[in-house]
């Protein structure tokens, strides 16, 4: 047997675990009796109505194939392709997230640079940060009067804190010697910010951005369950109301895949801004 | 009385000592450095060498006293006073070349990109770095190479005063030797005024025109100014043959070992100027001629 690299062996193990897991899942789901095998009596008493059993993986894979082969169909408000639903969710997450970044990163810079700004704003941050983003929803709906924008607001408010705190932390922790390098070279404050502070704090800032996008993706599902209409969160809830558990499981998996992709993007960014001393 | 190029006047540094009182690191220290001179300052830890360096760089403020350079009082950091720290002078996210170009750009904002690049490369090559090193990050360089880059950057902006804060302190002896040679070579081609801190007596004798000796803190002061009466160009194997070498070296060892302690403490004078020490054994090797003149 040829020697496999560590990564190849790990990949092989992953595939084996997947197959074994799926097989266990498949065989532990009791096969539902076909309606034809039921007696007249059983049929009359509703025995043929399938109890909402958990679907086996084969059904989920079938569903996934069906959905992914035509992800962007649009057959009315309650029947849209998974691609469209995910697209709506990503749009909301990115809108709220970018607004949050536009506020949090400059504000974090200010807090990190100035002790007085830190001390003045810290009490507000400490009170606002632990609030569950969904708790803002009623207020947002009342003030904004638009469910779409309220969802974006909820993403905005939950994305702000990790970015704000990490930016402040990163900026405050820039090594004094590097700031002195900027000072002895008479770099103005703008050039100091872009040549020294920003690159020095970038790994910490991007870590905050990565945490934020993760939280935003967690929150959007719950937010869309509340506001309804479109989005992957609404899709999950809608399929639950339809008692279509196959679609529910499929959409749960899709939420995981998209979340992973968003995280991976920031992983790339993180490697790009990383430096070693 | 004419002022030297760099004039440190009655410099005093006090810190609160934590129990309501004050701790005086050094008091009324006064000395001068001439243009083009290479001056090294030696003293035990805690005598305030690094504080003096920070004040000269404009990164710290003295409690009392002033520093006058080229007729103007020093306040705040400036491109006229370049600093090479022991560590962390380089920005780790920039390549070697960019670590130099950003400084050259700051010094010469009107230069074209090509001019900046050419000037930076020239100075990197002067300290023995070339081609493949330019695009590496500091973390991919050895400690010695990093300090070469720092030195190249400092010379590339040609400050009026170059401050070296134990630049070779973190290097092994062999690397240190070769960079000292490199520094001497680069410096010899300029009229750069250099003020350097070190703990290494041999390094000081090899590099300096003059060595300032500090007494121990608290109430430290610059007690002596020893001229290194060994002609240039110097090299480490030949200077030991010079008749003045051991006289100077023994004097320094004596000072650091014994007299820095004996002379410690406040003098009560309003101005503590160093006593000039001048060895000349070249005429009569047997007799040590030691002249003490106050400047």
């Amino acid at each position: 047997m040829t020697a496999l690299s560590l990564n190849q062996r790990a990949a092989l193990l992953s595939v084996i675990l997947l197959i074994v897991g799926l097989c266990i899942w498949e065989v532990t789901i009791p096969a539902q009796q076909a309606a034809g095998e039921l007696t007249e009596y059983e049929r009359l008493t509703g025995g043929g109505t399938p109890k909402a059993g958990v679907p086996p993986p084969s059904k989920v894979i079938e569903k996934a194939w069906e959905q992914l082969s035509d992800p962007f169909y649009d057959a009315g408000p309650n029947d849209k392709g998974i691609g469209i639903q995910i697209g709506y969710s990503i749009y909301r997450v990115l809108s709220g997230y970018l607004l949050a970044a536009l506020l949090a990163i400059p504000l974090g810079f200010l807090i990190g640079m100035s002790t007085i700004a830190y001390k003045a704003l810290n009490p507000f941050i400490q009170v606002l940060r632990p609030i569950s983003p969904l708790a803002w929803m009623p207020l947002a709906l009342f003030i904004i009067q638009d469910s779409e924008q309220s969802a974006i607001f909820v993403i905005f408010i939950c994305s702000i804190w990790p970015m704000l705190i990490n930016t402040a932390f990163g900026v405050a922790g820039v090594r004094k010697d590097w700031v002195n390098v900027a000072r002895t070279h008479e770099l103005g404050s703008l050039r100091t910010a872009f040549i020294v502070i920003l690159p020095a704090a970038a790994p910490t800032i991007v870590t905050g951005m990565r945490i934020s996008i993760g939280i935003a993706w967690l929150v959007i599902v719950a937010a869309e369950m509340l506001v309804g209409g479109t989005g992957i969160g609404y899709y999950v809830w809608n399929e639950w109301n339809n008692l279509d558990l196959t679609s529910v499981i499929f959409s749960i998996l899709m939420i995981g895949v998209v979340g992973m992709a968003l995280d991976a993007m920031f992983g790339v960014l993180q490697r790009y801004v990383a430096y070693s001393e | 009385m004419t002022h030297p190029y760099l004039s440190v006047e009655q410099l005093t540094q006090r810190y609160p000592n934590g129990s309501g009182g004050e701790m005086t690191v050094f008091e009324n220290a006064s000395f001068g450095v001439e243009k083009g001179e290479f001056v090294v300052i030696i003293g035990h830890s805690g005598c305030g060498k690094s504080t003096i360096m920070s004040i000269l760089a404009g990164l710290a403020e003295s409690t009392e006293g002033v520093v006058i350079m080229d007729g103007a009082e020093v306040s705040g950091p400036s491109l006229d006073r370049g600093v090479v720290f022991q560590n962390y002078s380089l920005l780790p996210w920039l390549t070697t070349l960019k670590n130099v170009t950003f400084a050259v750009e700051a010094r010469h904002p009107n230069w074209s990109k090509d001019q900046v690049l050419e000037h930076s490369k020239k100075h990197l090559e002067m300290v023995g770095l070339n081609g493949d090193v330019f695009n590496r990050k500091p973390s991919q360089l050895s400690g010695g190479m990093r300090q070469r880059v720092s030195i190249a950057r400092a010379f590339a902006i040609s400050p009026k005063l170059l401050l070296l804060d134990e630049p070779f302190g973190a290097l092994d002896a062999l690397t240190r030797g070769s960079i000292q040679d490199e520094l001497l070579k680069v410096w010899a081609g300029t009229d750069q005024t250099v003020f350097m801190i070190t703990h290494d007596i041999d390094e000081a004798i090899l590099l300096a025109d003059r060595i300032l000796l500090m007494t121990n803190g608290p109430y430290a002061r610059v007690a002596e100014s020893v001229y290194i009466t060994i002609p240039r160009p110097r090299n480490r194997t030949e200077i030991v043959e010079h008749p003045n070498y051991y006289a100077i070296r023994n004097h320094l060892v004596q000072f650091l070992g014994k007299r820095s302690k004996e002379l410690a403490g406040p003098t009560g004078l309003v101005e503590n100027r160093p006593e000039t020490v001048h060895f000349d054994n070249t005429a009569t090797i047997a007799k040590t001629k030691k002249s003490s003149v106050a400047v």
Side-chain angles (χ1 to χ4, degrees):
Chain A
M1 190 181 151
T2 51
L4 294 170
S5 77
L6 185 69
N7 284 343
Q8 286 169 324
R9 277 184 286 164
L12 190 66
L13 189 60
S14 295
V15 172
I16 292 170
L17 284 173
L18 178 68
I19 292 170
V20 171
L22 290 178
C23 288
I24 292 173
W25 178 6
E26 183 82 41
V27 298
T28 48
I29 304 294
Q32 281 157 22
Q33 289 170 299
E37 294 165 6
L38 298 174
T39 60
E40 186 72 27
Y41 175 74
E42 279 173 324
R43 243 177 286 172
L44 284 170
T45 54
T49 312
K51 278 195 210 139
V54 176
S58 51
K59 284 264 163 36
V60 177
I61 292 168
E62 208 176 289
K63 183 82 190 172
W65 180 255
E66 176 199 321
Q67 283 284 345
L68 292 176
S69 53
D70 184 15
F72 297 109
Y73 76 89
D74 188 351
N78 276 338
D79 192 9
K80 293 188 203 302
I82 188 83
I84 290 182
Q85 305 287 23
I86 288 177
Y88 274 113
S89 297
I90 290 178
Y91 157 72
R92 286 178 191 133
V93 162
L94 291 185
S95 310
Y97 180 82
L98 288 177
L99 286 173
L102 284 179
L103 180 70
I105 293 173
L107 194 61
F109 239 82
L110 178 71
I111 295 174
M113 300 284 269
S114 141
T115 316
I116 184 159
Y118 169 77
K119 292 198 169 177
L121 292 172
N122 195 40
F124 298 103
I125 296 172
Q126 295 309 331
V127 170
L128 295 176
R129 192 172 58 109
I131 298 172
S132 164
L134 292 174
W136 293 98
M137 186 64 94
L139 194 62
L141 284 169
F142 177 75
I143 294 172
I144 303 173
Q145 308 252 324
D146 179 283
S147 62
E148 173 82 21
Q149 285 173 24
S150 299
I152 291 173
F153 173 77
V154 166
I155 296 304
F156 165 81
I157 204 87
C158 77
S159 311
I160 253 182
W161 312 114
M163 282 195 271
L164 181 66
I165 290 164
N166 268 46
T167 305
F169 186 72
V171 167
V174 173
R175 199 183 276 283
K176 196 96 197 299
D177 304 82
W178 297 333
V179 178
N180 282 344
V181 169
R183 292 179 64 200
T184 54
H185 288 93
E186 289 187 54
L187 301 183
S189 31
L190 204 64
R191 278 167 67 75
T192 301
F194 282 102
I195 293 181
V196 180
I197 313 274
L198 193 61
T204 322
I205 296 174
V206 173
T207 303
M209 294 173 79
R210 196 174 177 179
I211 296 170
S212 278
I213 198 82
I215 292 177
W217 189 245
L218 293 181
V219 168
I220 193 65
V221 175
E224 284 170 348
M225 284 180 178
L226 282 177
V227 299
T230 46
I232 190 74
Y234 167 75
Y235 180 81
V236 174
W237 203 248
N238 197 34
E239 295 306 325
W240 160 238
N241 287 334
N242 294 340
L243 280 182
D244 183 353
L245 276 169
T246 319
S247 290
V248 169
I249 293 174
F250 166 66
S251 47
I252 288 174
L253 287 174
M254 287 311 293
I255 293 170
V257 169
V258 173
M260 186 178 78
L262 288 173
D263 188 64
M265 275 164 43
F266 281 88
V268 171
L269 185 60
Q270 210 164 26
R271 270 199 298 284
Y272 177 73
V273 298
Y275 59 85
S276 56
E277 285 176 32
Chain B
M1 183 184 159
T2 56
H3 283 285
Y5 186 64
L6 171 76
S7 176
V8 174
E9 319 235 341
Q10 285 141 293
L11 211 58
T12 301
Q13 186 70 36
R14 297 182 223 277
Y15 292 116
N17 66 0
S19 52
E22 273 187 333
M23 217 274 285
T24 303
V25 188
F26 48 84
E27 192 170 50
N28 296 328
S30 303
F31 60 90
V33 175
E34 295 300 336
K35 187 166 171 58
E37 214 181 3
F38 197 129
V39 173
V40 169
I41 190 161
I42 300 186
H44 287 277
S45 302
C47 72
K49 311 182 289 293
S50 292
T51 311
I52 291 182
M53 178 76 63
S54 300
I55 293 168
L56 292 180
L59 295 170
E61 278 192 27
S62 61
T63 315
E64 284 162 41
V66 289
V67 177
I68 295 164
M69 190 176 74
D70 201 11
E73 190 182 331
V74 163
S75 71
S78 148
L79 277 163
D80 283 339
R81 280 162 278 120
V83 195
V84 174
F85 303 101
Q86 183 173 346
N87 291 311
Y88 313 121
S89 282
L90 301 179
L91 303 174
W93 49 88
L94 297 180
T95 61
T96 301
L97 188 58
K98 287 207 172 124
N99 258 296
V100 180
T101 53
F102 94 84
V104 175
E105 271 166 22
R107 181 62 158 180
H108 306 283
N110 300 325
W111 281 13
S112 72
K113 274 219 149 52
D114 288 342
Q115 260 175 311
V116 168
L117 216 58
E118 192 194 342
H119 187 77
S120 306
K121 283 183 177 166
K122 190 181 93 192
H123 281 84
L124 281 168
E125 279 157 11
M126 268 163 56
V127 294
L129 299 173
N130 45 41
D132 61 321
V133 180
F134 290 177
N135 292 321
R136 282 200 243 161
K137 301 263 171 83
S139 59
Q140 298 162 310
L141 302 178
S142 66
M145 281 168 133
R146 277 184 235 173
Q147 287 308 67
R148 280 169 203 257
V149 179
S150 300
I151 290 167
R153 181 171 72 192
F155 276 93
I157 61 171
S158 40
K160 286 181 178 171
L161 175 65
L162 175 56
L163 300 161
L164 306 173
D165 189 354
E166 288 189 60
F168 314 130
L171 305 178
D172 65 272
L174 287 175
T175 313
R176 186 190 288 217
S178 66
I179 301 198
Q180 286 163 358
D181 295 341
E182 214 76 67
L183 174 62
L184 266 185
K185 215 171 69 195
V186 177
W187 177 74
T190 63
D191 63 343
Q192 183 68 59
T193 313
V194 183
F195 186 82
M196 172 170 165
I197 295 182
T198 183
H199 279 121
D200 182 337
I201 291 178
D202 295 304
E203 176 174 287
I205 298 175
L206 175 69
L207 298 174
D209 289 319
R210 197 150 60 87
I211 296 177
L212 299 175
L213 294 170
M214 285 192 82
T215 61
N216 294 357
Y219 295 99
R221 65 201 155 88
V222 181
E224 289 188 0
S225 160
V226 181
Y227 280 88
I228 308 303
T229 44
I230 300 173
R232 293 181 192 270
R234 300 176 190 155
N235 87 43
R236 68 188 65 250
T237 48
E238 285 167 17
I239 55 168
V240 294
E241 312 283 344
H242 196 275
N244 291 342
Y245 180 82
Y246 280 103
I248 294 169
R249 194 174 194 285
N250 290 344
H251 182 80
L252 299 180
V253 171
Q254 281 291 325
F255 184 93
L256 291 174
K258 225 165 77 189
R259 296 180 50 237
S260 65
K261 216 176 306 160
E262 291 167 2
L263 292 170
T267 58
L269 299 173
V270 290
E271 185 167 80
N272 294 311
R273 280 206 180 269
E275 194 183 335
T276 303
V277 179
H278 208 281
F279 288 96
D280 192 0
N281 293 349
T282 44
T284 47
I285 293 170
K287 239 170 71 183
T288 303
K289 189 184 149 207
K290 183 177 162 187
S291 65
S292 303
V293 207
V295 273

